[in-house]
Amino acid sequence: MSKIHEKVLSKHKSEAERQVAASRHREPEASIIYNTKHTSKLNVLKSIADAMIVGDESNQNDPNFKAMKRDSFWVTQLHFIVFKILLISVYFVFGIFRYFQYQYNKMRLRVLNIIYNPTSTPQLIRQDVLKLSKVPKRLAAILDMKPIGEVGGGVKGIVNDASEIVCWTVSAGIKHLMLYDFDGVLKTNVQSLRGEIAEKLSLYFGPTDTPNFAIRIPHLNKVYYNGADDENYNAKSEKVIIEISLLSNRDGRETIVDLTRTMSELCLSHDLELSDITMKLIDTELTQLVGHEPDLLLYFGPALDLQGFPPWHIRLTEFHWEADNDQVSYLVFIRGLQKYSTCKINVGK
Amino acid sequence: MNNYNSSSDTSMPMIFLKNLFSKTIRTSNCVPKHVGFVMDGNRRYAKKKDIEIKEGHEAGFLSMSKILELCYESGVEITTVFAFSIENFKRSSKEVDHLMKLASDRIRQITEHGDLAEKYGIRVRVIGDLSLLPTDVLKDIELATEITKNNNRATLNICFPYTGREEIFHSVKTVLSQNLSGNEINEKLLDSNLYTSGLPPLDLLVRTSGVTRLSDFMLWQVINHDVTIELLDCLWPEFGPIRMGWILLKFVFNKSFTNVGSKTGEEYDGELNETNGVKDDNNQVLNKKKN
């Protein structure tokens, strides 16, 4: 079966990268917060009003609306106006509620940030984790690249966030980490990521005990060991503490399409019979092509948005995110682990 | 909670409020087109209330029909409910038998004269690996699908027995059986061979009982960037129309916001161009280091 694996990978290499339909609309809640327009309190209210006015205009072009009969026209319009006014008042009340909810969530996150103080000492993280009855074997995280002008934005920001997560994961004693970003920014900047991780790890563990790590890009079938300048690393003799897989949108549905293509070619040349194709075969192939299913998926945005994460791999994955949070912070990480330790998975039963 | 549920569908003020709410929501033009439900927590509810598991499932069905009613009145076109997972066959044979019976009874009931399906013009479809079902249940399903196939105002997909992986697998296998050459296979083709093909994409997914995983439900569809996922802390029979109304309001509110001021797509292209510049800078720095 490794034949299929090789074929798909060779396809990855030969083909010019397919343009992924990357219509990037954020999750509604996310966009309100990310949209710099709405950051000030007055602006939030202003945009609520805007939403109402523009919503009104768009409705007048409704074809059903024009098609109404003349005599019932005014009655329907009266109805319409009454409900529109009702909608506007409901929006207004909800908008005020949402504003206070947002402030409350932000305050909560600030308090939690103090309780779970971000420290660069692995011992403290270890202590937090040792209290837990169960720790995930495989961890995944979805990262967003923030606009370049913001604090922690751009490629540097995302690389920094990624390496921070790697350090927490190593400290927690988890051996597999998947880092997902939609556009594959981490994949294209793998060299600077290597450097950054090595730097951060030596900061956490001291320059003499820096753990060894491996970065895998499943889609290109490449593995990198340790920091960028560590050329004389011997993969066999030294133990790798953490394996990091970098994923992007390309590893999601596109990979399933690639697998289907390959299998279809094999079917046509009668190397593979249709009856040989089972769920198990697809599962093993996708595990080889992308990786194992993670146990816990952390999202560092304000509302869960899976952004094209490999669909086959989220069957029983536990999700964790904090409402209205937009930072890669330790509190999301540790609270995610805490939640995972209490959850019980019973497949079907 | 039980009392409040039973009173909510009989008392006049509640019906009035429901109609008012659904008509108001409708005028926003942002109502989700396709809503998915994972109906989780019927057994825990039975345990909590100290009633039989059977009655828990009954309560779950009651809750479902109320919520569907609200959804269809508010302008939702398609609802997909996760009724039975392929993994559920692992349960005790007594419970499986009962669930089968309950399902075929209920499917028959909602398609009966004057009930939900006729009232809202709902086309009932049963999706999933139907080959796993006993023949008498299959007959009921065929009959129900036949009766309602000309209804076109709304669609109810009942996932029975279903898993998201099986759906992807089914799609892959259907594509393979068509003997197509490699270039003809793409994401769209796989999409059109799913059980939910031809329907608008999923907009909102609701899961009850405080569990934060998908448990194999609509895996392919849910990863779209504009799917809102709502994970609630209450058990399914406790999840009444009021909570559903709140979720709809939240969805509509957020959607009207993003429709107005969203230019995120354009912004992003700009960012990507800039990042290339930064990447080169980084490489230069690295090269310098090496030298």
Side-chain angles (χ1 to χ4, degrees), chain B residues 87-98:
Chain B
E87 310 283 351
N88 287 149
F89 281 113
K90 286 184 196 159
R91 291 183 181 177
S92 74
S93 63
K94 198 178 142 205
E95 200 193 336
V96 170
D97 284 347
H98 178 258

Side-chain angles (χ1 to χ4, degrees), chain A residues 31 59 91 253 312 318 348, chain B residues 29 88 165 212 220 256 258:
Chain A
S31 76
N59 269 317
Y91 270 17
R253 290 182 186 162
W312 192 267
E318 202 75 32
Chain B
N29 280 354
N88 287 149
R165 279 193 178 182
T212 50
W220 180 277
S256 338
T258 37

Side-chain angles (χ1 to χ4, degrees), chain A residues 69-136:
Chain A
K69 280 182 187 168
R70 281 266 156 163
D71 35 338
S72 63
F73 179 77
W74 289 108
V75 180
T76 24
Q77 200 173 40
L78 193 72
H79 263 257
F80 184 79
I81 288 170
V82 167
F83 284 119
K84 205 72 194 179
I85 289 169
L86 253 174
L87 182 73
I88 289 168
S89 19
V90 169
Y91 270 17
F92 190 72
V93 173
F94 189 85
I96 292 170
F97 164 78
R98 181 73 188 99
Y99 171 78
F100 282 109
Q101 191 191 38
Y102 178 76
Q103 293 299 336
Y104 168 78
N105 282 339
K106 280 283 170 199
M107 188 62 89
R108 190 175 144 268
L109 287 170
R110 250 172 259 148
V111 172
L112 284 173
N113 239 330
I114 296 167
I115 297 173
Y116 303 109
N117 194 18
T119 44
S120 40
T121 28
Q123 286 80 12
L124 286 179
I125 298 175
R126 190 86 204 129
Q127 254 177 31
D128 281 344
V129 173
L130 277 177
K131 287 177 207 154
L132 308 173
S133 58
K134 168 169 93 163
V135 176

Side-chain angles (χ1 to χ4, degrees), chain A residues 23-29 31-32 35 37-38 44 47-48 50-51 54 59 62 80 83-84 86-87 90-91 94-95 97-98 145-148 155-156 183 185 188-189 191-192 199 228 231 253-254 256-257 260-261 263-265 267-268 274-275 277-279 282-283 293 304-309 311-319 321 339 343-349, chain B residues 19-21 23-25 27-30 43 85 87-88 90-91 163-166 168-169 172-173 175-177 179-187 190-191 211-217 219-231 246 249-258 260-265 267-269 271-272 274-275 278-279 282-283 286 289-290:
Chain A
S23 46
R24 286 217 37 140
H25 289 293
R26 286 184 193 278
E27 226 285 45
E29 297 199 15
S31 76
I32 293 174
N35 228 334
K37 258 173 81 180
H38 305 308
V44 172
S47 48
I48 295 171
D50 278 353
V54 179
N59 269 317
D62 194 348
F80 184 79
F83 284 119
K84 205 72 194 179
L86 253 174
L87 182 73
V90 169
Y91 270 17
F94 189 85
F97 164 78
R98 181 73 188 99
M145 197 172 74
K146 287 174 191 148
I148 208 148
V155 174
K156 268 196 182 142
D183 302 290
V185 181
T188 45
N189 294 290
Q191 294 304 341
S192 51
E199 208 173 285
E231 299 291 341
R253 290 182 186 162
E254 285 288 296
I256 297 180
V257 171
T260 318
R261 280 188 184 179
M263 288 199 295
S264 133
E265 276 160 22
C267 277
L268 285 177
L274 200 59
S275 56
I277 297 164
T278 55
M279 285 266 270
I282 292 185
D283 191 43
E293 182 182 350
L304 186 60
D305 174 11
L306 293 170
Q307 311 183 357
F309 195 86
W312 192 267
H313 294 79
I314 44 169
R315 189 170 82 107
L316 297 171
T317 306
E318 202 75 32
F319 303 126
W321 75 101
K339 189 156 104 189
C343 78
K344 186 175 136 224
I345 297 181
N346 33 3
V347 186
K349 289 195 176 172
Chain B
N19 287 341
L20 197 69
F21 175 79
K23 276 187 185 147
T24 310
I25 286 279
T27 48
S28 71
N29 280 354
C30 295
R43 290 196 302 176
S85 163
E87 310 283 351
N88 287 149
K90 286 184 196 159
R91 291 183 181 177
T163 58
R165 279 193 178 182
E166 200 275 332
I168 298 174
F169 169 69
V172 167
K173 201 138 187 196
V175 168
L176 287 179
S177 67
N179 285 326
L180 297 167
S181 73
N183 294 334
E184 290 171 276
I185 297 170
N186 53 30
E187 203 183 303
L190 281 178
D191 220 38
V211 176
T212 50
R213 61 191 113 83
L214 293 171
S215 301
D216 228 339
F217 184 59
L219 298 178
W220 180 277
Q221 295 91 334
V222 84
I223 60 162
N224 266 354
H225 54 77
D226 42 12
V227 175
T228 307
I229 302 171
E230 290 283 348
L231 303 165
W246 182 251
L249 177 62
K250 201 163 133 190
F251 182 91
V252 165
F253 182 80
N254 287 336
K255 266 280 138 71
S256 338
F257 256 110
T258 37
V260 174
S262 98
K263 280 175 191 148
T264 29
E267 269 172 35
Y268 223 83
D269 292 342
E271 277 165 38
L272 280 182
E274 282 176 84
T275 52
V278 173
K279 193 181 87 188
N282 282 343
N283 285 345
L286 286 175
K289 259 190 193 170
K290 267 185 197 169

Side-chain angles (χ1 to χ4, degrees), chain B residues 110-163:
Chain B
I110 51 174
T111 53
E112 257 171 26
H113 186 69
D115 212 298
L116 202 68
E118 202 186 81
K119 205 168 151 195
Y120 298 100
I122 301 167
R123 179 169 58 127
V124 177
R125 291 169 75 228
V126 178
I127 58 177
D129 191 359
L130 299 181
S131 62
L132 296 169
L133 293 173
T135 44
D136 51 328
V137 178
L138 215 56
K139 245 184 224 157
D140 277 333
I141 288 173
E142 270 166 24
L143 190 71
T145 328
E146 191 59 33
I147 295 172
T148 59
K149 74 170 181 204
N150 291 325
N151 295 345
N152 52 13
R153 273 182 58 202
T155 306
L156 168 64
N157 294 316
I158 303 172
C159 300
F160 183 81
Y162 170 95
T163 58

Side-chain angles (χ1 to χ4, degrees), chain B residues 27-45:
Chain B
T27 48
S28 71
N29 280 354
C30 295
V31 177
K33 283 214 167 77
H34 188 167
V35 185
F37 292 101
V38 183
M39 307 190 288
D40 195 11
N42 290 341
R43 290 196 302 176
R44 257 167 289 171
Y45 177 77

